[in-house]
């Protein structure tokens, strides 16, 4: 059996198109242009690419953006000052700080300093708490995008046995909350789970967010299950590429020789592809939805601001 690829590109484009038309309406009727402020600290190349993609998406949908790129030496106090000034500005609707922050900065204090009404990443404890209580306002973009993809692909969540591997604040935990709210029976696994494969194999719906290239193989997957691969790992070893991609390795080896690396998720693409019913590709899967949902959350923040000032 070959798994059907759940490509996210068309859905991500539709979400951005819908945001764009609503932004045009806000500009036309209320005379304001919603704005996202992105804060990045240090020289991490991956963070620079992620923020660049978010700024580009803002341009596509008509959201004004500000990119605050600060040096590695920035202190917690300096960053708190910047967040404070963005919180108090009426022309800024959404604030995101690209994670991870440098080790010397107290990440928790920064996340908690963002006004919950501008917390378009949904990481503030107030937003995490509201999600846990079943009263979500801003939901972290990656799990929110996964729910959109499941709905768009007409994959039944209600009553499904769902398993989430990974319990991070930004993916695993909010993912489990969202699936629970949609009436799935949810199990959360992590690095201390005993006999992981025996748990994941029970799942009709398996979401994997662990950060380990190709770790989830055919032995972890129930035949016919839907598998959502959140992982995004760079690999640069040709033998590893051959092992992970099997018959599709040639294309990936070409990417490797051009760029020096290729991307793979946390799911073993060749092994899982033979067992799963549906599988998200990497790249071309969940990552595209994360940025689209950030645009949707920024629109939501702007609408909340408009309704408060009306
Ligand atoms: P994270 O904060 O490092 O959390 C990883 C989670 O995986 C932890 O809960 C950890 O368990 C668990 N884990 C690690 N090794 C495991 C093992 N051998 N067996 C079972 N569980 C294990 O990672 P994250 O931020 O959630 O990101 C996960 C992956 O998703 C990364 O590859 C990241 O790049 C990717 N990602 C992609 C997007 C996107 O838009 N596509 C967005 C966010 C993240 P413990 O809690 O016990 O340590």
């Amino acid at each position: 059996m070959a798994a059907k690829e759940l490509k996210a590109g068309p859905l991500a484009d539709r979400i951005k198109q819908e945001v764009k038309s609503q932004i045009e309406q806000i500009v036309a009727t209320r005379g304001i242009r919603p704005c996202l402020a992105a804060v990045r600290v240090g020289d991490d190349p991956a963070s620079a690419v992620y923020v660049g993609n978010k700024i580009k998406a803002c341009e596509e949908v008509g959201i004004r953006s500000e990119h605050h790129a600060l040096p590695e030496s920035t202190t917690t106090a300096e960053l708190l000052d910047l967040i404070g000034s963005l919180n108090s500005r009426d022309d800024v609707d959404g604030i995101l700080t690209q994670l991870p922050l440098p080790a010397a900065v107290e990440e928790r204090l920064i996340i908690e300093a963002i006004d919950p009404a501008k917390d378009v990443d949904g990481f503030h404890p107030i937003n995490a708490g509201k999600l846990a209580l079943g009263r979500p306002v801003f939901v972290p973009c990656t799990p929110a995008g996964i729910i959109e993809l499941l709905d768009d692909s007409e994959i039944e969540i209600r009553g499904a046995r769902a398993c989430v591997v990974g319990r991070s604040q930004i993916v695993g935990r909010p993912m489990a909350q969202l699936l629970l709210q949609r009436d799935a029976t949810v199990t959360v696994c992590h690095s201390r789970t005993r006999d992981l494969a025996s748990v994941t194999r029970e799942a009709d719906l398996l979401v994997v967010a662990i950060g380990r290239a190709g770790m989830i193989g055919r032995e972890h997957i129930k035949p016919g299950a839907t598998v959502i691969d959140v992982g995004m790992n760079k690999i640069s070893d040709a033998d590893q590429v051959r092992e992970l991609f099997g018959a599709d390795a040639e294309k990936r080896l070409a990417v490797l020789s051009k760029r020096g690396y290729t991307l793979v998720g946390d799911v073993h693409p060749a092994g899982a592809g033979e067992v799963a019913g549906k599988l998200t590709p990497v790249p071309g899967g969940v990552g595209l939805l994360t940025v689209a949902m950030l645009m949707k959350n920024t629109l939501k923040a702007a609408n909340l601001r408009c309704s408060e000032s009306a």
Side-chain angles (χ1 to χ4, degrees):
M1 184 173 76
K4 179 176 178 237
E5 268 200 327
L6 283 180
K7 289 197 172 138
L11 173 61
D13 287 345
R14 266 186 278 131
I15 292 170
K16 284 190 281 183
Q17 202 51 50
E18 175 63 20
V19 170
K20 185 178 179 185
S21 71
Q22 291 195 37
I23 296 285
E24 281 163 7
Q25 270 179 24
I26 291 180
V27 174
T29 58
R30 303 183 194 229
I32 58 157
R33 184 168 292 280
C35 171
L36 174 68
V39 180
R40 178 169 67 86
V41 185
D43 308 315
D44 176 39
S47 289
V49 170
Y50 293 145
V51 172
N53 288 342
K54 292 168 185 177
I55 301 284
K56 194 166 145 261
C58 284
E59 283 163 15
E60 274 177 54
V61 303
I63 289 174
R64 192 168 70 75
S65 63
E66 290 181 4
H67 184 178
H68 298 266
L70 307 178
E72 183 84 22
S73 58
T74 304
T75 63
T76 303
E78 286 166 339
L79 204 45
L80 287 172
D81 276 350
L82 173 61
I83 300 293
S85 81
L86 295 172
N87 280 343
S88 63
R89 276 176 51 193
D90 273 349
D91 62 329
V92 171
D93 296 284
I95 303 169
L96 75 84
T97 39
Q98 186 64 42
L99 304 180
L101 292 167
V105 174
E106 287 186 71
E107 200 165 279
R108 187 179 61 78
L109 291 184
I110 304 303
I111 291 171
E112 292 181 6
I114 295 174
D115 179 346
K118 297 188 178 191
D119 173 38
V120 287
D121 267 334
F123 297 160
H124 191 286
I126 287 190
N127 284 319
K130 285 186 173 173
L131 174 61
L133 293 171
R135 295 190 274 115
V137 181
F138 291 111
V139 176
C141 301
T142 302
I146 291 170
I147 295 289
E148 297 260 350
L149 181 64
L150 294 172
D151 285 344
D152 188 62
S153 312
E154 298 181 345
I155 291 163
E156 180 139 42
I157 303 175
R158 173 177 285 184
R161 280 195 173 209
C163 178
V164 181
V165 190
R167 55 177 167 178
S168 69
Q169 305 287 345
I170 63 173
V171 189
R173 282 170 202 257
M175 186 76 250
Q177 296 289 354
L178 288 173
L179 290 167
L180 184 61
Q181 272 162 37
R182 293 289 301 272
D183 299 324
T185 301
V186 186
T187 306
V188 181
C189 298
H190 44 76
S191 66
R192 303 284 183 269
T193 299
R194 287 195 197 124
D195 192 3
L196 182 67
S198 73
V199 183
T200 56
R201 257 199 324 264
E202 294 285 310
D204 307 308
L205 182 52
L206 178 60
V207 182
V208 185
I210 51 185
R212 302 197 188 265
M215 198 194 99
I216 298 296
R218 72 171 71 215
E219 70 281 13
H220 294 88
I221 298 169
K222 178 178 177 176
T226 295
V227 180
I228 307 293
D229 188 357
V230 183
M232 190 80 84
N233 310 287
K234 280 184 179 179
I235 51 168
S236 49
D237 178 75
D239 286 338
Q240 194 182 8
V241 170
R242 282 188 202 92
E243 195 278 319
L244 285 166
F245 290 96
D248 288 335
E250 284 312 313
K251 265 189 286 176
R252 295 304 190 117
L253 287 167
V255 175
L256 180 66
S257 68
K258 193 167 155 208
R259 291 199 199 144
Y261 69 89
T262 187
L263 288 176
V264 68
D266 293 338
V267 176
H268 191 294
E274 288 173 13
V275 187
K278 295 180 177 127
L279 174 63
T280 55
V282 177
V286 171
L288 298 173
L289 290 169
T290 299
V291 177
M293 294 310 287
L294 177 68
M295 299 301 106
K296 205 167 168 177
N297 274 353
T298 307
L299 170 66
K300 186 175 199 174
N303 277 329
L304 286 174
R305 177 159 73 98
C306 288
S307 62
E308 271 167 20
S309 61

